[in-house]
Amino acid sequence: MSGALGKDLLGLEHLSGDQIRLILDTAEPFKEVSERAIKKVPALRGKTIVNLFFEASTRTRISFEFAEKRLSADTVNVAASGSSVVKGETLVDTARNLEAMRIDMVVMRHGSSGAAKFLADRIVSSVINAGDGKHEHPTQGLLDLLTIRDHRPIAGTKVCIVGDVLHSRVARSNIWGLLKLGAEVAVCGPASLLPLGIEALGVQVFRRVEEAIAWADVINVLRLQLERMQTGYIPSVREYYRVFGVTMERLERAPRDLLIMHPGPMNRGVEIDSRVADGPHSVILNQVTNGVAVRMAVLYLLAGGKPELAEAAKGASDR
Amino acid sequence: MPPSERQLLLDERAFARTLHRMALDILRQTPDPVPLVLVGIQRRGVELAVRLAALLAKETGAEVPRGALDITLYRDDLEVVGPRPLVGPTHLPVDLDGRVAWIVDDVLFTGRTVRAALDELADFGRPARIGLAVLVDRGGRELPVQADVVGERVPTSPGDKVEVFVKELDGRDAVEVVRGGGRP
Amino acid sequence: MKPILLRGARVLDPANGRDEVADLLLEGGLVKGIGRALGTPDGATVLEGKGLVAAPGFVDLHAHLREPGREDVETIATGARAAAAGGFSAVCAMPNTDPVTDNQAAVGFIVRQAGLAGFARVYPIGAVSVGQKGEQLAEFGELVAAGAVAVSDDGRPVATAHLMRTALEYARTFDIPVIDHCEDVTLSHGGAMHEGVTSTRLGLKGIPRSSEDVIVARDIALAALTGGHVHFAHVSTAGAVALIREAKTRGLRVTAEVTPHHFTLTDAACEGYDTNAKMNPPLREAGDLAALRGALADGTIDCIATDHAPHHYDAKEAEFDNAPFGVVGLETALGLALTELVEPGTLTLAQLVDRMAARPAAIAHLPGGALRPGGPADVVVFDPGQEWTVDPSRFFSKSRNTPFAGRRLRGAVRWTIVGGKVVHTAGDRPDAPDRSGR
């Protein structure tokens, strides 16, 4: 459909570096829109967007909703608890029903990897992946990139993702995005929470968080799902914090100033020390602010546009 | 289709003369002592607004605030042309309320850009009056929009192009008309 | 029943060391003669076999025919018809139906349904444990008396080492193999595909190779302990191949099968979340694929079995995590084997017939698997050079879940003959009224 990104945003793995840079560059002016007294532009006026959340996610949904409203789109939120999904409707039927309602875009969060592609293959509307299982969470990856770029050029920057990489869609999107923009990427965590063959993606592996901190310019701390203990991946929260926690004491021994990121919501005292989260190196709230700008950019770039008319329209535009 | 033909509409000297005349025109149409603000439309309107602000400052002896407006998000043709890269930020240095805001652009054609700019300005405040100053009016309006201050008028066909060059971006000041489409 | 004379085909019967152009006369449900100038009995149907290969009908040790319980996706009749279309004259039906084939009546039902359908022969496999629950041994004696030819808890592994031990010991009484689906479910739990770089990229939970290797090693130790016959279903890993090879050098009674999809595809087929590439055990990597082909060639893996597992299209039209495991395989097995194994020279044509007919028949002590005068007239006649394109809409199976749609294959069945009766002819269409059926 629209040329720059294609019909959908399903992940960063299959985007080019130029496409990712286009999104980040487009996000810059959108940061300013959110600073205006009237935080609204009419770019997506008349567009209908459904936020389809099969998993609870307050902050991602709110961020998307702000982005949509600031672009003047009409939005409908569908949460799993109130939807027909719990009544046994399949994703295929959900897709067909959405399509029948003539919507323009779907923002979907789903517990199964590949669910966003599944939906995108079956509907004409654009699909934005707001997190599919353990696969990707592209807008989180993009907002992390934008946040790093606010502070330093991404190319050549050393970024270490610390924590439960195995179950993390945020980690995967970050890895693809960072590699495509020329960063050096590492992961660190208990081996039971690092996926087999992760090195093949082009990342280094650190077994100890101290080594990761000594190496990195940026530490992206992942949330530890507390259910990982029950499923036997780690012995206890206390032990995790003692061995892998990003603490002030560990950061003080870092050879250089680090940026500390966290996709949220944080477990203070589990994967991250409160003093680090609230400290001078933390850009965690900048990430939240950038989330809205990046999502506006993605929505804007995916919206509308019929390439075959674009050429004709150029002559009729205002020059 | 006949080969396109390039005509020089304004050379560097004529360009400077025209801008000066426009500055005086703006001053004449702005009742004293209402404060002014010039708002250039991205891309070349911004540079023209800078020039005009300097000329006005010389005439009046007072600083004239100026801003920049990117109207991309206010276009009415997203469906048709697809999203375009945003060319630049919107930046307004002062509160618009009670001022005379002059929209400055290089070329006035269909009027759609001006329509979008009016919408966008309305989201930023309520000026006492909004004026429109353009370097070239090439005709061909699709909306009922007229400029208050016009540097040069030139009749054109839809297939023609009017190209404005400014020193800051292009290394020279000039306006050229490229006669293209061969359509009447 | 009219006699059949197949004239001038290349008769390939590795069990008897035969590979020659000859005539084949079938009469009264038996092979009457093999040779030249056999003469044409009165009223005989003459089939022109020039340029074709005639071999003992193929035997599939591993198919899920879904009846009783899921007649919407396959029945014994449609499964047996699909088998015939694939050149199989006999197919063994796994017991994970609803209800489970864990008693005499259930086995008898399958035998009866297969008799009524009259395409490929269907041999029931009984459950190892009651309800396949992994607790109490099923009554093997009753199962065998009713017609079961092996026992298995397929769909899942034989749950515990103790149960496997007692099953192997008890099965010796009846001289039947215990077929095990080797999977340590504590390692594979929640997995949807092979654990490797692809699963990491796709964000799907992986099933490690070790999940299979651990149980293969367990079963080999128990085969050594008990002297029982373990047959390893759908071997998928290089590690399992090495373990089985070593067990065979020790003279243990272990046999093994591999499926066409495991010797053809790797986990790359899961790319794009294609649920038709979701099977258990999962598609592995190139190294495993090479090991499986090598093991078929050197006899470590005895035979090819389809693990034909029909599913409704609705079930596969789902998120990868939520889609069921399994693919249909009866109608593509021969084409894949010829294209993937014989064409590149991994197996000779005679070895392929051995792996698809003689060996599987021997493992389950079935009649057939060979062509000898006085033996059953179960014959497949195929054109090894004929190219065709897999078109699931032309399957006789009720289900279409194959990852091979659109694939060009070389080698197609011309006739399948069971008990001296032609039950499939090339060009038969699933929607046309069947000419067979007793």
Side-chain angles (χ1 to χ4, degrees):
Chain A
M1 300 297 274
S2 66
L5 298 183
K7 178 172 91 74
D8 312 297
L9 179 69
L10 305 180
L12 300 189
E13 181 182 358
H14 299 293
L15 290 189
S16 67
D18 283 342
Q19 287 173 313
I20 293 173
R21 275 186 285 271
L22 172 68
I23 298 171
L24 300 184
D25 292 345
T26 306
E28 294 292 348
F30 282 121
K31 287 183 189 170
E32 178 264 319
V33 172
S34 292
E35 303 298 329
R36 295 181 188 178
I38 295 179
K39 297 173 179 53
K40 198 175 178 104
V41 292
L44 297 192
R45 194 163 50 199
K47 298 275 181 195
T48 313
I49 303 179
V50 174
N51 298 317
L52 188 58
F53 277 65
F54 292 93
E55 280 184 349
S57 164
T58 309
R59 64 178 59 207
T60 302
R61 191 181 51 73
I62 288 177
S63 180
F64 266 109
E65 213 176 326
F66 272 132
E68 291 153 1
K69 296 202 158 142
R70 286 176 190 176
L71 291 170
S72 304
D74 296 316
T75 68
V76 176
N77 293 318
V78 182
S81 57
S83 77
S84 49
V85 177
V86 285
K87 298 169 200 150
E89 184 178 277
T90 65
L91 191 50
V92 183
D93 289 332
T94 306
R96 289 183 186 142
N97 278 292
L98 289 173
E99 195 75 339
M101 286 185 258
R102 305 287 182 265
I103 54 158
D104 297 293
M105 287 197 231
V106 182
V107 175
M108 184 169 78
R109 160 69 59 93
H110 196 285
S112 291
S113 299
K117 176 171 166 48
F118 183 90
L119 185 67
D121 288 347
R122 283 160 184 79
I123 64 175
V124 178
S125 326
S126 294
V127 173
I128 297 175
N129 182 5
D132 62 329
K134 303 185 287 287
H135 177 226
E136 284 220 44
H137 189 355
T139 56
Q140 179 72 42
L142 290 164
L143 73 91
D144 289 346
L145 290 170
L146 189 62
T147 306
I148 295 172
R149 203 176 76 165
D150 286 348
H151 291 86
R152 50 187 303 141
I154 292 173
T157 290
K158 293 174 173 167
V159 183
C160 187
I161 301 164
V162 177
D164 180 4
V165 177
L166 181 64
H167 298 94
S168 176
R169 49 192 167 221
V170 175
R172 282 167 181 75
S173 287
N174 261 278
I175 288 169
W176 295 123
L178 287 164
L179 289 176
K180 281 167 200 281
L181 297 193
E184 287 185 54
V185 186
V187 296
C188 174
S192 55
L193 291 177
L194 297 181
L196 200 71
I198 185 86
E199 297 91 341
L201 305 188
V203 306
Q204 287 190 62
V205 175
F206 290 110
R207 297 286 168 211
R208 310 284 312 193
V209 73
E210 293 83 359
E211 295 168 24
I213 288 170
W215 172 84
D217 302 309
V218 179
I219 297 280
N220 198 341
V221 189
L222 299 175
R223 174 180 167 81
L224 184 77
Q225 304 283 344
L226 298 178
E227 77 237 27
R228 300 297 170 231
M229 272 181 303
Q230 284 104 56
T231 40
Y233 286 97
I234 53 159
S236 72
V237 164
R238 200 177 57 175
E239 169 129 329
Y240 184 86
Y241 185 63
R242 185 155 51 205
V243 182
F244 290 99
V246 177
T247 61
M248 204 47 124
E249 290 71 22
R250 287 188 167 122
L251 286 187
E252 277 162 0
R253 266 177 259 130
R256 60 187 81 81
D257 274 353
L258 293 177
L259 286 187
I260 301 295
M261 304 172 70
H262 191 298
M266 283 183 281
N267 295 306
R268 289 166 182 264
V270 177
E271 68 267 358
I272 190 166
D273 185 341
S274 276
R275 289 169 298 161
V276 173
D278 304 330
H281 305 313
S282 167
V283 290
I284 294 168
L285 292 175
N286 306 42
Q287 289 173 270
V288 176
T289 307
N290 280 344
V292 177
V294 148
R295 290 177 176 118
M296 288 173 81
V298 168
L299 290 162
Y300 173 73
L301 289 170
L302 289 178
K306 297 177 182 70
E308 66 277 11
L309 293 177
E311 280 308 306
K314 268 180 197 154
S317 78
D318 220 6
R319 287 293 177 272
Chain B
M1 190 179 288
S4 62
E5 175 198 337
R6 189 174 280 272
Q7 295 171 349
L8 185 63
L9 189 66
L10 296 177
D11 65 9
E12 194 164 331
R13 285 181 55 199
F15 194 105
R17 257 198 329 268
T18 305
L19 276 181
H20 193 245
R21 189 159 42 73
M22 286 172 70
L24 296 178
D25 234 0
I26 287 171
L27 217 48
R28 195 166 54 241
Q29 293 189 41
T30 310
D32 207 39
V34 180
L36 271 177
V37 58
L38 298 188
V39 180
I41 295 181
Q42 296 277 8
R43 195 53 275 222
R44 280 167 184 72
V46 177
E47 271 66 38
L48 295 179
V50 173
R51 305 271 194 94
L52 286 171
L55 291 169
L56 287 169
K58 215 190 281 177
E59 292 293 330
T60 61
E63 186 83 359
V64 177
R66 56 189 164 69
L69 207 58
D70 184 280
I71 55 91
T72 315
L73 299 172
Y74 285 76
R75 292 181 68 110
D76 59 4
D77 55 359
L78 183 66
E79 279 289 341
V80 180
V81 298
R84 306 185 146 191
L86 306 184
V87 292
T90 289
H91 162 74
L92 295 170
V94 290
D95 196 346
L96 297 180
D97 291 7
R99 287 179 183 264
V100 174
W102 281 91
I103 296 172
V104 179
D105 203 2
D106 52 357
V107 181
L108 177 60
F109 183 19
T110 61
R112 289 181 189 273
T113 299
V114 174
R115 199 271 318 147
L118 289 169
D119 282 355
E120 183 159 13
L121 277 184
D123 281 351
F124 278 91
R126 190 179 180 283
R129 199 192 134 203
I130 300 178
L132 173 62
V134 297
L135 183 63
V136 181
D137 180 351
R138 60 171 288 188
R141 220 72 81 236
E142 293 171 3
L143 295 175
V145 169
Q146 294 304 330
D148 304 290
V149 171
V150 177
E152 190 71 33
R153 287 178 208 277
V154 55
T156 60
S157 306
D160 299 344
K161 270 193 230 161
V162 177
E163 296 183 346
V164 174
F165 301 92
V166 293
K167 272 192 181 132
E168 296 86 335
L169 299 173
D170 311 303
R172 66 190 173 110
D173 286 341
V175 176
E176 294 174 0
V177 181
V178 185
R179 302 284 178 188
R183 283 170 288 176
Chain C
M1 196 175 0
K2 290 198 284 186
I4 294 173
L5 179 72
L6 175 69
R7 232 178 3 209
R10 175 181 171 192
V11 179
L12 202 50
D13 179 20
N16 294 301
R18 187 191 300 276
D19 182 358
E20 59 178 346
V21 174
D23 294 347
L24 185 62
L25 181 63
L26 312 173
E27 201 175 330
L30 302 175
V31 176
K32 178 87 172 187
I34 308 170
R36 315 227 170 199
L38 294 176
T40 311
D42 282 349
T45 307
V46 177
L47 303 177
E48 189 53 61
K50 193 159 175 254
L52 306 178
V53 174
F58 300 140
V59 175
D60 186 4
L61 287 180
H62 195 147
H64 299 272
L65 302 186
R66 303 295 189 218
E67 183 181 355
R70 287 305 304 271
E71 292 82 353
D72 58 324
V73 298
E74 200 80 288
T75 64
I76 290 164
T78 59
R81 183 65 187 85
F88 292 94
S89 57
V91 50
C92 298
M94 280 294 175
N96 58 335
T97 45
D98 181 15
V100 170
T101 315
D102 62 0
N103 61 74
Q104 196 175 20
V107 172
F109 169 79
I110 294 167
V111 171
R112 213 161 42 247
Q113 291 294 87
L116 288 173
F119 301 107
R121 303 175 197 271
V122 176
Y123 295 104
I125 295 171
V128 168
S129 61
V130 174
Q132 292 193 311
K133 287 188 163 62
E135 292 158 6
Q136 187 189 340
L137 273 187
E139 295 167 327
F140 292 3
E142 299 242 322
L143 297 172
V144 170
V149 297
V151 288
S152 180
D153 272 353
D154 187 66
R156 62 192 79 168
V158 174
T160 65
H162 174 72
L163 182 68
M164 188 64 181
R165 174 193 176 156
T166 51
L168 283 169
E169 287 169 337
Y170 190 50
R172 291 192 67 179
T173 308
F174 310 99
D175 199 18
I176 52 171
V178 178
I179 302 176
D180 202 8
H181 162 120
C182 293
E183 174 185 354
D184 183 326
V185 294
T186 66
L187 286 172
S188 64
H189 178 74
M193 66 172 293
H194 170 65
E195 181 172 351
V197 179
T198 307
S199 68
T200 292
R201 281 187 28 247
L202 295 177
L204 292 169
K205 183 155 190 317
I207 300 173
R209 291 188 184 88
S210 53
S211 142
E212 177 165 331
D213 301 351
V214 163
I215 302 298
V216 169
R218 178 196 80 175
D219 288 358
I220 287 171
L222 296 172
L225 174 68
T226 61
H229 176 186
V230 185
H231 178 72
F232 293 110
H234 43 51
V235 174
S236 76
T237 69
V241 165
L243 289 164
I244 294 164
R245 183 172 289 132
E246 195 265 345
K248 285 192 164 185
T249 62
R250 289 160 59 197
L252 300 179
R253 291 181 69 198
V254 298
T255 53
E257 68 189 32
V258 63
T259 70
H261 45 272
H262 285 112
F263 68 61
T264 303
L265 299 174
T266 65
D267 62 348
C270 300
E271 208 64 67
Y273 302 95
D274 181 359
T275 56
N276 281 325
K278 181 176 178 182
M279 54 269 286
N280 187 11
L283 299 170
R284 304 287 183 183
E285 295 178 31
D288 301 285
L289 194 144
L292 294 170
R293 290 182 177 205
L296 257 181
D298 71 15
T300 301
I301 290 177
D302 301 83
C303 64
I304 294 168
T306 65
D307 194 7
H308 178 79
H311 288 290
H312 198 270
Y313 75 87
D314 265 358
K316 284 282 192 181
E317 179 80 352
E319 308 87 310
F320 202 89
D321 280 340
N322 296 341
F325 291 104
V327 291
V328 293
L330 288 167
E331 295 171 74
T332 47
L334 174 64
L336 287 167
L338 285 167
T339 308
E340 298 292 326
L341 301 174
V342 176
E343 204 164 283
T346 307
L347 294 184
T348 64
L349 204 50
Q351 284 174 319
L352 179 67
V353 172
D354 178 61
R355 311 304 192 250
M356 291 188 75
R359 292 295 304 150
I363 288 167
H365 310 296
L366 304 179
L371 295 174
R372 67 177 73 82
D378 291 0
V379 184
V380 57
V381 183
F382 61 92
D383 179 346
Q386 187 188 330
E387 289 200 23
W388 59 291
T389 301
V390 178
D391 174 5
S393 72
R394 300 194 58 164
F395 283 171
F396 285 88
S397 168
K398 275 193 170 186
S399 293
R400 311 269 178 264
N401 49 306
T402 175
F404 298 114
R407 202 176 177 100
R408 289 291 286 171
L409 296 178
R410 185 187 282 267
V413 174
R414 183 65 58 88
W415 294 288
T416 304
I417 300 167
V418 175
K421 185 169 178 303
V422 175
V423 294
H424 176 76
T425 301
D428 283 357
R429 292 295 301 262
D431 41 13
D434 272 305
R435 286 177 288 136
S436 34
R438 278 162 219 176

